[in-house]
Amino acid sequence: MAGTRFQLLSTFSRQFSTLNNVSTVQPKLRIDEIRGRRMAIFDKEYKRQQALIPRLEKIEVTYEELNDEKVTLIMNKGISTPYNCAQHINEQLLKRSVVAEVNGEVWDMHRAITTDCTLKLLHMKPEDLHQATLVNKAFWRSCSFLLGAVVESTFQDEISVCLHSFPPANVRSGSFVYDVQLNLKDWVPSQNDLRQIAAAFQKFVRQDHIFQRLDVDSSVALKMFEDNAFKTEQIPHIATKSSTGRSITVYRVGDHIDISRGPMIASSSLVGRCSIPAIHKLNSKLYRFQGVALPSEIHINHFAFGILESRARKLAKSCKDT
């Protein structure tokens, strides 16, 4: 997405180009430069961690099907993922799987398995209520992440965009959200603005980006997000809640990297119809972007989706943690 900007936002550039309307900010790096630096740090750390695996060891993964049948797979410890396991079973399962359960713990499809385990693969229409809740939260959380990716690269370079955070997934809220600081005064988004942001969101998710997870030391995370004052303030607090007291989980989707506990869905292509019904101004610079989306395998008519959009326009309640 780096380097891509909406045509309509060039209008924003003209409208907010005076000193009276654009807050004075420090000269900032271009978004593609920021993302390039983050990806370089991410790739270096990923390679470092992979090099720590001394030799290939085999683990036994017992896949439990919905009909209680079991399939035993011999996989590579610290390398093989639930996605790799699905590849050994059948293509339909591979396409439908959203998240996994590894020994009862919700697990990213592209996260390496490190021990012998039982494995379940969950799709978007589970009959079990608990599994349905887990899947829905992963879907909503992933949509928030993707919304941040789109918004960060939306505005012209002279408009400072700083991602703040997104709240824990709450499907009942009616919308997934991301709070973003913009150095725009008195911006009232038009319906055309909302439609074009939704179009960019739709275009991005159709590119079939996987969610790549990486657990890093807080010092690495601080270096990765040194350009973002909000993230650098949040990282030490989030790290203290980890099992080691120093770990931060980051995800990469395309050229975008952000912080989240996860888990996330397997791929952006699992997101189908979407809309950006509202952008609420929280204070002089902070805006709450709100979206609503359906999984790609679920289809409803225009009227029913309109009801979802109306619900998603209401200001979502604030929540601090991501």
Side-chain angles (χ1 to χ4, degrees):
M1 290 200 59
T4 304
R5 302 290 186 271
F6 293 151
Q7 184 177 359
L8 88 93
L9 291 178
S10 64
T11 304
F12 294 165
S13 300
R14 292 192 296 271
Q15 180 181 356
F16 298 107
S17 61
T18 68
L19 291 177
N20 291 331
N21 284 328
V22 179
S23 303
T24 302
V25 294
Q26 294 292 330
K28 71 185 186 74
L29 295 172
R30 290 172 53 90
I31 291 301
D32 53 357
E33 293 173 338
I34 292 173
R35 289 184 166 184
R37 185 179 55 77
R38 288 178 186 165
M39 286 191 295
I41 297 171
F42 184 101
D43 290 341
K44 181 179 180 180
E45 177 61 17
Y46 176 78
K47 291 177 182 178
R48 186 193 70 81
Q49 292 186 21
Q50 290 297 106
L52 294 177
I53 301 174
R55 59 186 176 84
L56 286 182
E57 295 183 37
K58 298 299 181 179
I59 54 174
E60 187 174 287
V61 177
T62 302
Y63 168 64
E64 297 183 350
E65 299 188 46
L66 295 178
N67 58 7
D68 293 330
E69 293 186 9
K70 296 182 179 181
V71 176
T72 299
L73 303 170
I74 304 301
M75 307 300 290
N76 295 319
K77 179 179 179 180
I79 297 176
S80 299
T81 67
Y83 185 86
N84 298 138
C85 294
Q87 288 177 311
H88 288 283
I89 302 173
N90 65 64
E91 186 175 354
Q92 182 181 10
L93 183 66
L94 181 68
K95 291 181 177 180
R96 295 191 69 196
S97 297
V98 179
V99 292
E101 278 191 9
V102 174
N103 287 337
E105 180 182 351
V106 189
W107 206 265
D108 297 273
M109 288 294 294
H110 297 284
R111 181 183 178 185
I113 302 171
T114 58
T115 186
D116 294 343
C117 66
T118 58
L119 172 69
K120 294 181 181 179
L121 299 174
L122 310 183
H123 54 77
M124 286 304 309
K125 298 180 181 179
E127 296 181 2
D128 181 86
L129 181 60
H130 175 66
Q131 289 182 347
T133 299
L134 296 176
V135 171
N136 283 332
K137 285 187 175 182
F139 181 79
W140 225 234
R141 181 185 303 113
S142 302
C143 286
S144 286
F145 188 102
L146 293 167
L147 180 58
V150 170
V151 173
E152 186 180 56
S153 61
T154 290
F155 294 86
Q156 296 285 336
D157 289 322
E158 60 266 32
I159 298 175
S160 177
V161 180
C162 191
L163 298 185
H164 184 284
S165 60
F166 59 94
N170 180 4
V171 180
R172 292 186 177 184
S173 70
S175 63
F176 55 86
V177 309
Y178 210 116
D179 293 344
V180 182
Q181 179 178 274
L182 305 172
N183 67 322
L184 293 176
K185 275 189 176 182
D186 305 321
W187 176 43
V188 180
S190 68
Q191 286 301 311
N192 190 50
D193 298 342
L194 299 177
R195 283 193 293 269
Q196 292 207 42
I197 295 172
F201 185 94
Q202 193 79 73
K203 180 180 179 180
F204 186 57
V205 301
R206 285 177 178 172
Q207 292 172 3
D208 193 20
H209 298 292
I210 69 167
F211 282 81
Q212 184 180 3
R213 174 188 174 117
L214 187 65
D215 294 323
V216 302
D217 187 83
S218 58
S219 61
V220 176
L222 286 169
K223 184 177 180 181
M224 193 177 290
F225 294 96
E226 63 183 10
D227 57 273
N228 185 312
F230 298 121
K231 303 292 182 183
T232 55
E233 182 180 356
Q234 295 160 9
I235 285 169
H237 173 68
I238 296 172
T240 59
K241 297 182 179 181
S242 68
S243 58
T244 63
R246 292 189 54 83
S247 181
I248 294 289
T249 301
V250 298
Y251 283 86
R252 176 177 174 177
V253 175
D255 63 355
H256 177 68
I257 298 172
D258 203 353
I259 301 167
S260 178
R261 291 193 301 265
M264 300 290 185
I265 60 177
S267 165
S268 65
S269 64
L270 292 167
V271 180
R273 186 174 182 178
C274 70
S275 174
I276 307 299
I279 300 173
H280 296 283
K281 189 173 184 179
L282 301 182
N283 58 38
S284 61
K285 293 184 181 180
L286 198 64
Y287 292 84
R288 175 159 295 167
F289 289 72
Q290 297 188 185
V292 63
L294 295 174
S296 56
E297 64 180 87
I298 296 178
H299 304 279
I300 61 176
N301 61 43
H302 180 74
F303 176 78
F305 191 76
I307 294 175
L308 296 179
E309 286 183 302
S310 296
R311 182 184 176 191
R313 289 190 183 99
K314 298 177 181 178
L315 178 61
K317 293 182 179 180
S318 178
C319 209
K320 294 181 180 180
D321 296 329
T322 57

